Amino acid sequence: MIHYREPLFRPPAEGDSLIFQAAYGCPHNGCRFCMMYKGVRYHERELDEILKDFREGARLYPETMRIFLADGDVMSFSFPKLKAMLEELNRLFPFLARVNTYANGSSILLKKEEELKELHRLKLNTLYVGLESGDEEVIRAVGKKESVGDMVDAVVKTQEIGFKCSVMILLGLAGKKGSPVHALKTAEALNNMQPRLLSALRFIEVPGTKMNEGYEAVTEHEAVSELKTIIEALELKKTVFRANHSSNPVPLSGRFPQDRDKLLAEVGWMLSSNMLDKKGPGRLPLFL
Ligand code: SF4
């Protein structure tokens, strides 16, 4: 049996991957908007326990090609431990194509360039990185560990080596007042990063979320309007874009730069229709 402990999260794109939980929770666990691991005491599992799960996974699913390493920031593991894990995965799974994980910007930046190169050679491939906002003020207000500059550096550094970064942004994170600056600065940070993959999620306050005093949530219509401002300001050269998380009012996807006008037309149509709530958050996703 492979060991799992709830809660266990993975990005939507990892639905077909074999998941191993190398740690429980998130070592930072301090972002105000994030309820993923609240109540989970962070614990990095011992290498021999993790390798035991790998061996069990190889026995049950020997033809596995894609693996996702959970939980919140496996990149924070020491280089020797990560290397040992990846070497074992390469040995155990003959068809292995890629290993993906969530990664915080600070954990990436703490790794030396040669170390990152070695991890990539061992098939560590897609890093799911949360930018959330390109507005430094918003980033500080929500308790993120890294500055916007750190996040940009982390993505540029890893993509130059050959990693793919899947960058997440959060619509509505700055509230009503901060929305215009959040939108423009987020687009600016993304233009500096040039992520290979970009996901726009919508931030919705759930019970227990403690945003700063004065935070006023955007309506559904304002969230989509914010997305329009971001798309208009994006100058991406080769990015797959998705806004199809269940928090988004209508699923959107496309490629930059070629689908930019099509995406803007879809968003424009949504905004001029009567389908979006102009007074509140609209229909809430099932996970709330
Ligand atoms: S670093 Fe990521 S997982 Fe950890 S608290 Fe912040 S958003 Fe949540």
Side-chain angles (χ1 to χ4, degrees):
M1 203 177 70
I2 305 172
H3 279 84
Y4 297 110
R5 188 190 282 181
E6 293 288 340
L8 176 62
F9 295 95
R10 53 132 180 100
E14 298 296 329
D16 293 331
S17 299
L18 176 59
I19 300 178
F20 292 109
Q21 205 170 9
Y24 304 125
C26 162
H28 173 51
N29 212 9
C31 302
R32 283 171 176 268
F33 58 87
C34 173
M35 298 301 288
M36 281 166 73
Y37 303 111
K38 293 282 180 280
V40 179
R41 184 193 289 261
Y42 181 68
H43 174 69
E44 188 177 311
R45 297 179 68 205
E46 295 295 332
L47 182 61
D48 59 345
E49 287 175 34
I50 299 169
L51 299 190
K52 205 166 146 199
D53 273 356
F54 289 175
R55 288 193 289 275
E56 182 64 357
R59 188 181 70 77
L60 295 169
Y61 312 106
E63 291 176 2
T64 295
M65 296 173 74
R66 287 179 55 141
I67 287 175
F68 182 75
L69 295 175
D71 273 344
D73 180 18
V74 171
M75 187 57 99
S76 67
F77 285 22
S78 72
F79 169 70
K81 187 167 178 178
L82 270 177
K83 184 169 181 253
M85 287 162 58
L86 289 166
E87 280 172 344
E88 188 67 350
L89 289 176
N90 278 273
R91 191 183 71 77
L92 288 168
F93 294 91
F95 302 104
L96 186 66
R98 56 187 57 180
V99 182
N100 303 335
T101 189
Y102 288 122
N104 281 353
S106 49
S107 308
I108 292 173
L109 292 176
L110 281 172
K111 298 273 178 303
K112 295 186 189 117
E113 191 173 332
E114 315 83 74
E115 294 174 343
L116 288 168
K117 280 185 178 157
E118 178 65 0
L119 299 177
H120 183 55
R121 191 189 66 77
L122 290 166
K123 299 185 186 164
L124 188 60
N125 185 70
T126 304
L127 305 177
Y128 292 90
V129 176
L131 168 65
E132 332 300 358
S133 173
D135 184 348
E136 197 60 56
E137 245 181 68
V138 176
I139 287 302
R140 276 201 303 270
V142 298
K144 257 195 88 82
K145 193 173 172 191
E146 299 84 6
S147 68
V148 175
D150 285 346
M151 296 303 296
V152 173
D153 289 350
V155 171
V156 170
K157 181 176 173 180
T158 44
Q159 289 198 152
E160 272 174 5
I161 289 168
F163 288 92
K164 273 190 197 167
C165 285
S166 180
V167 173
M168 291 164 278
I169 57 167
L170 282 177
L171 304 174
L173 190 64
K176 276 185 195 289
K177 220 170 103 200
S179 176
V181 179
H182 165 60
L184 289 175
K185 292 208 166 177
T186 299
E188 186 185 324
L190 291 168
N191 290 339
N192 291 332
M193 285 176 166
Q194 294 292 324
R196 293 289 306 279
L197 305 149
L198 167 62
S199 292
L201 285 69
R202 181 163 58 124
F203 168 65
I204 299 170
E205 275 181 294
V206 296
T209 317
K210 290 192 178 68
M211 295 301 276
N212 279 342
E213 215 170 298
Y215 174 83
E216 195 185 347
V218 296
T219 64
E220 186 182 37
H221 192 273
E222 287 165 337
V224 175
S225 176
E226 192 174 288
L227 177 60
K228 181 168 177 272
T229 308
I230 294 173
I231 296 176
E232 279 169 345
L234 285 177
E235 290 168 10
L236 300 176
K237 297 183 184 98
K238 197 181 176 195
T239 300
V240 174
F241 169 74
R242 292 189 200 101
N244 55 5
H245 184 258
S246 56
S247 61
N248 293 100
V250 176
L252 280 177
S253 61
R255 286 171 184 272
F256 277 87
Q258 59 267 47
D259 294 333
R260 187 170 170 274
D261 291 346
K262 178 189 79 103
L263 289 165
L264 279 175
E266 285 179 54
V267 173
W269 176 82
M270 266 192 248
L271 288 169
S272 57
S273 73
N274 281 328
M275 63 186 291
L276 300 173
D277 187 352
K278 290 185 177 163
K279 292 195 177 129
R283 195 167 46 88
L284 296 178
L286 289 174
F287 64 80
L288 296 180

